[in-house]
Amino acid sequence: MVSSNLVFASDEIAVSEEVLSSYYKEYFPLDPFIEWLGYRNDETLSRREFSFTLKDDVYTRFRSFTSKEELHQAFIKTKPEKIDIGAIYNYSCKHRLSPDFKEEQRELVFDIDISDYDDVRTCCQEARICQKCWPLMSICVKVLEETLKTAFGFEQILFVFSGRRGIHCWVFDEEARKLNGAERFALAHYCQVTAQQIGTSHRLHTHIQNALKITDLYWDEYLETQDLLGTEEGIDSFLKYVKLDDSIKNEWKEQMLKYDTTMERWSIFQQKRKEAQSKKYRDRLFIERIKIAVTYPRIDIKVTEGFNHLLKAPFSVHPKTGKVCVPFNADDVDSFDCDNVPTVFSLRKNDEELVKVIEKQEGDMSKKYYHGEMKESVKIFTDLLNQVFSE
Amino acid sequence: MLKLAFCKQPDLKQWFVRNEVNLFRYRFNKMSSKGKIRFFELSKFNLESIEKGEITGELEANLNDCSNITTASAKTWYRIPWTQVGRLVTRRSIFIDEGKAYVPEEDLIEFVVGKFRSECNRWLAGLAKKFDVMMENEQERLVPILKSFGNTIADADFSSTEGRLTINSIETMRKTSLPPCIRQLLDALQVDNKLKHDGRVHLWAFFKAAGMPLEDALKFTFTRMTAYANPEKEFKYNVRHVYGKEGGGKGVGAYGCSTKIKALPVEGQYQGCPFKHQRNLKQQLRNWGVKEVDIDKIKKKADDGHYQVACNQFFKSTHKDKEEKLDLITILHPNNFFDQSFDWNTGEHKLLKAEDTAKSEAMETSTYEPAWETTLPMSQAEKESQSQKEFEQDDFMEE
C-alpha cells in the first residue's frame, strides 16, 4: 500500500491497517504480554480491562479476553491503532455495570510527556523530542527509579518509551498492584515536588536532595546545550524562582547581562548563592529551587493517582509515528535513542533477513520477536517477568 | 442515624467521615499523654519502635531533614508501613526507606486517625450494603426522616437558564460577570491558545452550567484552542461528553469552589481557585481592574485562607450601585457567581427586586447563610462528576 509511507507532518506518518495487522501477527510479543496481564492465570486475565482505539478515533473501553488466542483474534480482526491497559477488576468487564464492580489490582504507573517541559527547552516544542532534551527524560527515569526502589522498596520496575513524546513507568510488584486509591494518591503527591515547595532556608527532604543529586549529573551540560540563559527572557524565567525583592533581582540581572554566555550568567547565580550562604540574602535555596523547577520529573499525577486509569500498553504502536513502545533498561537511559527504535516500517524492511535467522530456530525461539530489532526490548520485558514469577 | 442517612451517597458520606474524623482528632489531642499511652496499649497496634541507639549518622540526618520534629526533641520513633500514614506521605513530612515510614511519636496521631477513617468508611460501606433490606419496613417511618437529612446538606444546583452565556456574549461577560476562576482560565487560554486537560474540562463544565449551547462550546473550543493540530478531532468527543451527549449520558457537572480550592494545579495549570493558587494575586487583581483599596482587602482574606470570602469581596468590588445590598450577596459556586452577577447587571437580582423591608432582607440573608468554616457542599450536578479525592479514596479500602 502506498499510503503507508505518506508523510503528513515532519514526524507524522500514517500507519496503514495492513502494516499494523502484520505487526500484530508477527512481531507483537503476545506470549509474554499475556503472561504479564493475567499473571499466568487466564481467570485473572479475563478480569483485566483492555481498551482499543480503532480507526477514526473510535474508543472501545472495557474489553476483556479470556485467552491468548482470543486476544490474538481481536488484534487481527480489529487492528487497533492504540491499545490501553486498565485495571484488574473483581468481575469480568462484561459485568461492569454491576453495582459492586470495582478495581482489585493495578500496576502503579507513571506517565511523563516531554511536551510538559516546553518552557525549559529551546530545541523542540510540543510532541517533538531530540537528543538535546532527552536528558530531561533521563532525570525522570533515574529519580523515579531511585524513589521507587529505595524509599518505597519496589523492585519490579519497567520503563517504556511511549512511542513519541515521553516515557511510561510500570511497577509490577504485588504490593504496588494492590495499593488502594488513597495510597496511590499519597505516593503520587510524594513524587510531585514543585518549586513552590522549596522554602528559603529550611532543610530539604531526603527525596528532594536525592533528586538534586541526579539533576547535578546533567545540569551544566543541559544548561549549556539548551542555552537557557541566552536571552533576557531566559534570565527572567530563572529569576522568577528567586524569592528576593525585585530591586535585588534587577541588580543581578544587570550583572548577568554584562556577560554573553549561559554559563557565565549561571556563574553569577552560583556566586550569589555563595554570598547568600554568608547570610547576605534571605533566600538561600534559589539554586535548588531553579533546578527543581527546570528538571524535576513532571509526572501526570492523574495517571498515577487513579486506580483505573488507562495507559498505553508496552509494545503497542504509536499511531502517528509507527514507533513501537519499547521497554528499555533504566541504566541505559542516557544512550537511548528515541529516533532509533523499531518501527512497523523498519521491522517490515528487515523482515527477509529475520526470516533467515528464525528458520534455524525451534519452538518458542522461532518467534520473530525474540530476534532482530525487537530482541533487546523483549528480553528486558521477559527478564522482568521472570523476576515477578520467581517469587 | 446520620450514618444511615449518609451511607448511600458518596459526597454525604465524605462529609460525614470528615466531620467524624475531625471530632476524633480533637478528642485524641485533648487526651493526656498518659491517656494516649493507655490508648495505644488497649488498641494493640503492635508498633515497631526504634532503639535510640540506632538513630545516629545517616539515619539521624535523614530523620531531621524529612520530619517536622527533630531527633533531639522527639520521644520515640516508630517504623510503620508507609501505606498506613498516607497523610504524612502526601505532605512529604516523613522519611521513608524500603517501604517503611519513620514516624515520631508526635505524628502518630496521623496513623491513629488513618485507622479511624478506614473504620468509619467500613461501617458506612457495611451499612450501605444492608440499607435496602433494613429500609424495607421503614418506608413510612424512617425513610422520610432520612431523606430530609440529606436535603439540608446538599440541595444546591447552580445551572443557569439555557442560552444565558453564548459565544457572542462571552467576551463582554468575561469582564463583567465571569467568576475569577474562569477568567483565569480564559486569560491563560488567550496567551497560550491551549489548556491542560483539567482546565479544559473545568471550562466546558462551566459553559454547560452557564447555559452555553453545545454548538457554541464546540465553536469556542475549535476557534480558541488553536495550539493543537486538530482541535476538532481531539476535543469534539470530550466537549460532547461534558455535555452528556457521549458516553453514559449524564455529562459532567460544573466544578464548585471546594473542588477548585482543593485542586493542586502544577506549573501551567489554571483550574484552581485564584484566591488560593494565584502566586501573584495582587497583580492579577490589578489586571482585572480591581481598585487598589479593594485589592488589599481581598488579598488579606485570601492570605487568611478565606478564599470564598475573598471571592465575595471581588464580586462587591466589581459590581456597582446599592452597596448596602451588595453586602448581602454570598457566592456559593462559580456558576452562582455568574448568575448573580448577570442578574445584578440586568437589574433582575432578587435582592434588587425585593421590597426594602426588613423581613425580606432577613429572608435573603438566611437563605444565603455562609458556611465558611467548613467547605461548601457540592451541587447536585457536581456530585455526579466529582472525581475520587482524598477522603473518598478510602472507599476502596477493605469494603
Side-chain angles (χ1 to χ4, degrees), chain A residues 57 103 116 150-152 180-183 185-187 189-190 192-193 197 203-206 209 302 305, chain B residues 62 65-66 82-83 86 89-90 92 94 96-99 196 198 233 264 266 389-390 393-394 396-397:
Chain A
D57 282 341
E103 307 86 351
D116 287 333
T150 55
F152 292 98
N180 67 31
E183 290 157 0
F185 180 91
L187 187 144
H189 284 265
Y190 183 90
Q192 196 186 41
V193 179
Q197 291 168 353
R203 307 179 74 137
L204 290 174
H205 193 280
T206 308
Q209 291 182 29
K302 285 275 182 295
E305 239 175 60
Chain B
N62 281 330
D65 287 345
C66 300
W82 69 268
T83 48
V89 177
T90 308
R92 212 182 297 114
I94 33 159
I96 315 179
D97 186 43
E98 295 281 325
K196 303 236 164 173
D198 286 344
K233 187 173 159 214
L264 297 159
V266 296
K389 279 279 169 196
E390 285 197 62
Q393 302 229 344
D394 292 330
F396 293 123
M397 280 178 162

Side-chain angles (χ1 to χ4, degrees), chain A residues 293-356:
Chain A
V294 175
T295 65
Y296 188 84
R298 300 183 180 180
I299 61 170
D300 183 343
I301 195 147
K302 285 275 182 295
V303 177
T304 308
E305 239 175 60
F307 207 145
N308 57 359
H309 213 290
L310 296 165
L311 192 65
K312 187 139 52 95
F315 298 110
S316 54
V317 175
H318 194 287
K320 287 189 177 136
T321 58
K323 287 178 181 174
V324 179
C325 305
V326 285
F328 60 88
N329 208 325
D331 293 336
D332 302 331
V333 60
D334 292 333
S335 55
F336 185 85
D337 180 0
C338 50
D339 286 328
N340 205 12
V341 297
T343 68
V344 280
F345 311 112
S346 71
L347 288 168
R348 258 197 149 187
K349 213 170 91 190
N350 301 324
D351 191 62
E352 268 178 46
E353 270 173 58
L354 200 61
V355 170
K356 283 177 207 150

Side-chain angles (χ1 to χ4, degrees), chain A residues 135-152:
Chain A
L136 291 168
M137 293 294 109
S138 293
I139 294 172
C140 288
V141 168
K142 292 193 172 167
V143 170
L144 276 181
E145 195 192 29
E146 149 99 29
T147 312
L148 293 168
K149 283 192 170 165
T150 55
F152 292 98

Side-chain angles (χ1 to χ4, degrees), chain B residues 188-215:
Chain B
L189 179 62
Q190 187 165 15
V191 176
D192 301 336
N193 295 318
K194 63 175 180 181
L195 281 174
K196 303 236 164 173
H197 174 263
D198 286 344
R200 295 195 297 266
V201 177
H202 275 245
L203 197 61
W204 293 327
F206 175 84
F207 284 169
K208 179 189 165 210
M212 186 191 268
L214 174 61
E215 299 70 50

Side-chain angles (χ1 to χ4, degrees), chain B residues 46-52 54-55 75-80 102-103 105 108:
Chain B
N46 284 331
L47 294 176
E48 180 192 353
S49 62
I50 304 169
E51 298 285 327
K52 271 260 183 303
E54 208 187 309
I55 304 173
K75 288 175 206 129
T76 319
W77 292 78
Y78 296 89
R79 211 184 257 120
I80 300 173
Y102 288 69
V103 185
E105 193 172 310
L108 269 188

